[in-house]
């Protein structure tokens, strides 16, 4: 597709449910990122993939959060046993370069808005 | 750790007014600095960037200069349009892991005709 696609656009979950959020990056983009954006805040880094390798998962808030990119393209962010504090917009971004040198563009999707009741 | 502080909004302006959004950063060295914009219903997109001190980033009439002495990267536009209504985010790249961006909280700008 022309841009980064995320689905679903909105997700409502009951506390304790598991959710899976999908990201389709721009075709051919090597690097993929997940960010979490709480209401009224800027995005916060969660994790980074280069192809299928998860090179940095330091931003994942707990072991309930898990991300994968098994074939180096589509990625899934999974949240187990959701809690109310997980409510946020989850953003996916991709870029073409193997290394991020500060001069490369990140292309963001529109995000998935997760509400945990 | 590295962080960004940007001017709180919301900001409401009339068309053709001058816009400035303040952004200051805290970092142990000289990170790359960015402004991202989010138009209603769309994803974040890069507006402009500067990778070293005294660099000026510019795009779509917006400008920002990397000021090392004041650790600032203020965004300016001389004459705004209704289409500039959006949320603007200042960001920096982590020096140790430069793929990792730290964002400010965002400033909502509304331009009235």
């Amino acid at each position: 597709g022309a841009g980064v696609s995320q689905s679903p656009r909105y997700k409502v979950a009951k506390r304790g449910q598991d959710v899976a959020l999908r990201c389709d990056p721009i075709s051919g983009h090597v690097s993929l990122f997940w960010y979490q954006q709480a209401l009224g805040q800027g995005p916060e880094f969660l994790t980074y993939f280069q192809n299928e390798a998860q090179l940095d998962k330091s931003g994942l808030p707990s072991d309930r959060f898990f991300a994968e990119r098994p074939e180096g393209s589509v990625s899934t962010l999974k949240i187990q046993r959701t809690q109310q504090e997980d409510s946020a917009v989850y953003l996916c971004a991709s870029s073409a370069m193997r290394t991020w040198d500060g001069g490369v563009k990140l292309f963001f999707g529109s995000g998935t808005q997760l509400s945990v009741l | 750790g590295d962080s960004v502080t940007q001017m709180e909004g919301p900001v409401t302006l009339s068309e053709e007014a001058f816009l400035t959004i303040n952004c200051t950063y805290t970092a142990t060295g000289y990170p790359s600095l960015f402004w991202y914009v989010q138009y209603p219903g769309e994803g974040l997109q890069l507006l402009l960037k500067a990778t070293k001190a005294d660099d000026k980033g510019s795009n779509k009439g917006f400008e920002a200069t990397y000021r090392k002495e004041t650790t600032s990267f203020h965004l300016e536009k001389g004459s705004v349009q209704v289409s500039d209504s959006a949320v603007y985010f200042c960001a920096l790249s982590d020096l140790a892991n430069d793929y990792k961006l730290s964002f400010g909280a965002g400033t909502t700008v509304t331009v009235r005709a």
Side-chain angles (χ1 to χ4, degrees):
Chain A
V4 177
S5 177
Q6 292 188 246
S7 60
R9 185 71 180 88
Y10 302 95
K11 177 68 180 176
V12 178
K14 292 183 180 177
R15 191 169 51 187
Q17 273 186 331
D18 297 349
V19 298
L21 312 180
R22 178 187 169 103
C23 172
D24 282 87
I26 292 172
S27 178
H29 276 195
V30 171
S31 299
L32 185 144
F33 308 82
W34 284 97
Y35 281 79
Q36 180 191 57
Q37 186 176 13
L39 186 64
Q41 301 298 315
E44 293 198 1
F45 172 84
L46 294 178
T47 187
Y48 159 53
F49 289 86
Q50 184 172 298
N51 295 308
E52 69 278 5
Q54 189 175 21
L55 299 185
D56 188 340
K57 55 182 181 179
S58 62
L60 296 177
S62 76
D63 59 7
R64 296 186 295 104
F65 286 71
F66 172 76
E68 60 183 7
R69 193 186 186 198
E71 297 178 358
S73 55
V74 171
S75 177
T76 304
L77 177 66
K78 297 179 179 177
I79 309 173
Q80 297 177 326
R81 306 181 303 282
T82 52
Q83 304 295 314
Q84 283 190 317
E85 61 263 27
D86 301 335
S87 296
V89 176
Y90 290 86
L91 300 172
C92 178
S94 69
S95 74
M97 299 296 288
R98 289 187 180 276
T99 58
W100 170 251
D101 64 358
V104 176
K105 270 188 176 182
L106 282 187
F107 294 82
F108 280 85
S110 297
T112 293
Q113 185 171 325
L114 173 65
S115 299
V116 182
L117 306 178
Chain B
D2 296 350
S3 65
V4 170
T5 302
Q6 67 180 96
M7 174 176 140
E8 288 186 17
V11 174
T12 302
L13 302 165
S14 296
E15 219 168 12
E16 299 184 4
F18 181 86
L19 170 68
T20 184
I21 304 175
N22 290 341
C23 171
T24 57
Y25 68 89
T26 302
T28 52
Y30 305 113
S32 294
L33 301 172
F34 308 85
W35 278 99
Y36 276 80
V37 59
Q38 186 171 29
Y39 298 105
E42 299 184 13
L44 283 157
Q45 51 186 276
L46 180 65
L47 179 60
L48 53 82
K49 68 182 190 311
T51 56
K52 60 183 187 296
D54 299 324
D55 267 3
K56 178 185 284 188
S58 60
N59 186 25
K60 299 182 180 180
F62 289 89
E63 291 184 342
T65 301
Y66 191 141
R67 300 286 188 201
K68 181 179 64 175
E69 60 278 6
T70 53
T71 61
S72 65
F73 193 55
H74 304 322
L75 182 69
E76 296 181 337
K77 185 172 186 182
S79 177
V80 293
Q81 305 300 312
V82 172
S83 56
D84 294 323
S85 298
V87 183
Y88 293 83
F89 293 90
C90 186
L92 61 76
S93 61
D94 187 279
L95 285 169
N97 300 295
D98 58 4
Y99 52 80
K100 191 184 295 188
L101 295 180
S102 296
F103 287 86
T107 302
T108 300
V109 173
T110 301
V111 180
R112 294 180 174 167

